[in-house]
Amino acid sequence: MAKLISRRRMILVSAAACGLPLVDRTMARAEAEPVIWKGQALGAVATLVLNHPDRAKAEQLIGHVVKEVARLEAIFSLYRPESELSQLNRLGALAMPSEELVALLEASRLVWQDTDGLFDPTIQPLWSLHARHFAQPDADATGPSAAQIKRARSLVGFEKVNFNRDRVAFAKPDMGLTLNGIAQGYIADRIVSLLREAGITSSLVDMGEISAIGRRDDGTAWQVGLADTPGGFTAGDMVIPLVDKALATSSPDGFRFDAAAKFGHILHPRATSLTPPCRRVTTICGSATTADAYSTAMTLMEPDEIRAVIAKRAGLSVDLITAAGEHVRLG
């Protein structure tokens, strides 16, 4: 579920793990030169565009942002062996979890319930099975065996994760969590909170998912372009203005396990279909955490199912491309 992002000057281009751009994030230059930081957050190339009259203070604030991103990665990273998440996956339980891990598990549970289990961070054993299978030089092109998939799916189910402020524990051995479908949004929200507390009123925060603080320095909305094809953003593609809103995009084309590109990284916890109903889903709402999780789940949902979720969630809108190539705007 991790999203890798490439960049060029003043144009933020979201690229998938396979190197194909899914989303172009385009901004015209503001009248005053913003301070721009580029780094990484959970494996994604991250960018912060900060409008501030005092460049020295802006750069000092960016230093605080870098430290906060590193602190949160030490909790949520799936690949750092000493992160809280890695320890949980290795041991099956974690005592005295951080406040942030518990908060993200609570947010995950809400979306898991709201999407009938389609957003499920316990999908990691099924993801790992596909990764191991296709890493073999003689891998069967049809994917893992039915028995292997059945075994992996028996470990999936967020109801099997027990957590509170004192402890997180799996109900079964060999379970695993991935927070890659929600943690980038959470990090974006935390950075937005940090900047707002410092008095920032104009910034674009991209930690793999985007959140806008106010408007650009010239008073216009931040502009986010959505590429409808892996070839990149074109003049005919959708451009979404953002003011005090967050945006997240998911696509099965973000990463493919196999050379034939039949097995995408967004896996259904129950169904066996290789073709998700949506080719690209972009969600817009007030929280990057929420937008991130829903965009992941909605890739696996039909438009009518997405409409039903939107009806229950005020302020949530969706822009999507179906597997058949139909462009749909909901909410």
Side-chain angles (χ1 to χ4, degrees), residues 114 116 118 277 298 300-310:
D114 217 17
D116 191 29
L118 290 183
M298 287 178 176
L300 303 172
M301 301 170 73
E302 298 287 350
D304 285 346
E305 295 175 296
I306 295 174
R307 286 187 181 92
V309 172
I310 292 174

Side-chain angles (χ1 to χ4, degrees), residues 158-169:
F158 199 71
E159 73 279 2
K160 301 182 184 76
V161 182
N162 303 305
F163 65 92
N164 55 36
R165 294 180 181 179
D166 299 321
R167 180 178 170 84
V168 182

Side-chain angles (χ1 to χ4, degrees), residues 156-192:
V156 175
F158 199 71
E159 73 279 2
K160 301 182 184 76
V161 182
N162 303 305
F163 65 92
N164 55 36
R165 294 180 181 179
D166 299 321
R167 180 178 170 84
V168 182
F170 298 146
K172 299 179 68 173
D174 300 325
M175 288 182 64
L177 276 177
T178 173
L179 297 172
N180 285 356
I182 190 172
Q184 288 175 345
Y186 184 86
I187 291 175
D189 282 339
R190 290 297 296 242
I191 298 308
V192 164

Side-chain angles (χ1 to χ4, degrees), residues 57-79:
K57 289 184 179 179
E59 291 176 351
Q60 184 180 46
L61 189 53
I62 286 174
H64 295 323
V65 167
V66 172
K67 289 180 181 178
E68 179 67 357
V69 171
R71 186 183 73 85
L72 294 172
E73 282 198 323
I75 299 172
F76 302 134
S77 174
L78 192 60
Y79 302 106

Side-chain angles (χ1 to χ4, degrees), residues 259-273:
K262 293 181 179 179
F263 292 82
H265 71 299
I266 300 178
L267 299 169
H268 199 294
R270 298 183 298 272
T272 57
S273 173

Side-chain angles (χ1 to χ4, degrees), residues 5-307:
I5 304 172
S6 65
R7 296 286 189 262
R8 59 182 183 271
R9 179 69 172 169
M10 296 307 294
I11 298 179
L12 309 185
V13 182
S14 170
C18 60
L20 297 178
L22 293 177
V23 180
D24 283 7
R25 289 116 182 231
T26 305
M27 304 169 298
R29 185 183 300 274
E31 292 179 2
E33 185 74 16
V35 177
I36 301 175
W37 168 79
K38 298 180 181 181
Q40 285 201 339
L42 293 179
V45 178
T47 297
L48 175 65
V49 182
L50 182 61
N51 289 310
H52 196 291
D54 188 325
R55 190 173 188 89
K57 289 184 179 179
E59 291 176 351
Q60 184 180 46
L61 189 53
I62 286 174
H64 295 323
V65 167
V66 172
K67 289 180 181 178
E68 179 67 357
V69 171
R71 186 183 73 85
L72 294 172
E73 282 198 323
I75 299 172
F76 302 134
S77 174
L78 192 60
Y79 302 106
R80 293 188 179 186
E82 296 310 313
S83 74
E84 286 191 34
L85 181 60
S86 293
Q87 292 181 58
L88 173 61
N89 284 344
R90 186 166 58 248
L91 302 174
L94 181 70
M96 301 303 294
S98 65
E99 174 185 334
E100 291 81 3
L101 180 59
V102 174
L104 198 52
L105 291 175
E106 289 174 344
S108 296
R109 180 166 57 191
L110 288 174
V111 182
W112 171 72
Q113 292 171 338
D114 217 17
T115 60
D116 191 29
L118 290 183
F119 177 76
D120 194 328
T122 65
I123 199 73
Q124 185 61 20
L126 189 61
W127 198 99
S128 296
L129 171 64
H130 283 79
R132 291 193 305 270
H133 176 85
F134 286 108
Q136 301 173 19
D138 57 346
D140 186 339
T142 62
S145 70
Q148 289 174 316
I149 290 175
K150 182 178 180 180
R151 159 66 178 160
R153 283 208 171 113
S154 72
L155 304 174
V156 175
F158 199 71
E159 73 279 2
K160 301 182 184 76
V161 182
N162 303 305
F163 65 92
N164 55 36
R165 294 180 181 179
D166 299 321
R167 180 178 170 84
V168 182
F170 298 146
K172 299 179 68 173
D174 300 325
M175 288 182 64
L177 276 177
T178 173
L179 297 172
N180 285 356
I182 190 172
Q184 288 175 345
Y186 184 86
I187 291 175
D189 282 339
R190 290 297 296 242
I191 298 308
V192 164
S193 294
L194 185 156
L195 295 176
R196 288 190 185 277
E197 289 171 4
I200 296 300
T201 58
S202 176
S203 179
L204 191 70
V205 176
D206 185 349
M207 297 293 145
E209 310 301 351
I210 290 178
S211 190
I213 299 176
R215 299 175 179 271
R216 287 173 28 194
D217 203 32
D218 63 2
T220 60
W222 299 98
Q223 301 294 313
V224 179
L226 305 178
D228 288 346
T229 67
F233 183 78
T234 65
D237 288 338
M238 176 68 68
V239 176
I240 294 179
L242 280 189
V243 178
D244 292 321
K245 291 276 189 178
L247 178 150
T249 292
S250 295
S251 169
D253 291 328
F255 175 77
R256 296 285 181 174
F257 290 104
D258 58 322
K262 293 181 179 179
F263 292 82
H265 71 299
I266 300 178
L267 299 169
H268 199 294
R270 298 183 298 272
T272 57
S273 173
L274 297 181
T275 305
C278 296
R279 191 173 76 203
R280 189 263 294 159
V281 173
T282 297
T283 51
I284 305 101
C285 64
S287 161
T289 306
T290 301
D292 195 2
Y294 278 114
S295 72
T296 302
M298 287 178 176
T299 304
L300 303 172
M301 301 170 73
E302 298 287 350
D304 285 346
E305 295 175 296
I306 295 174
R307 286 187 181 92

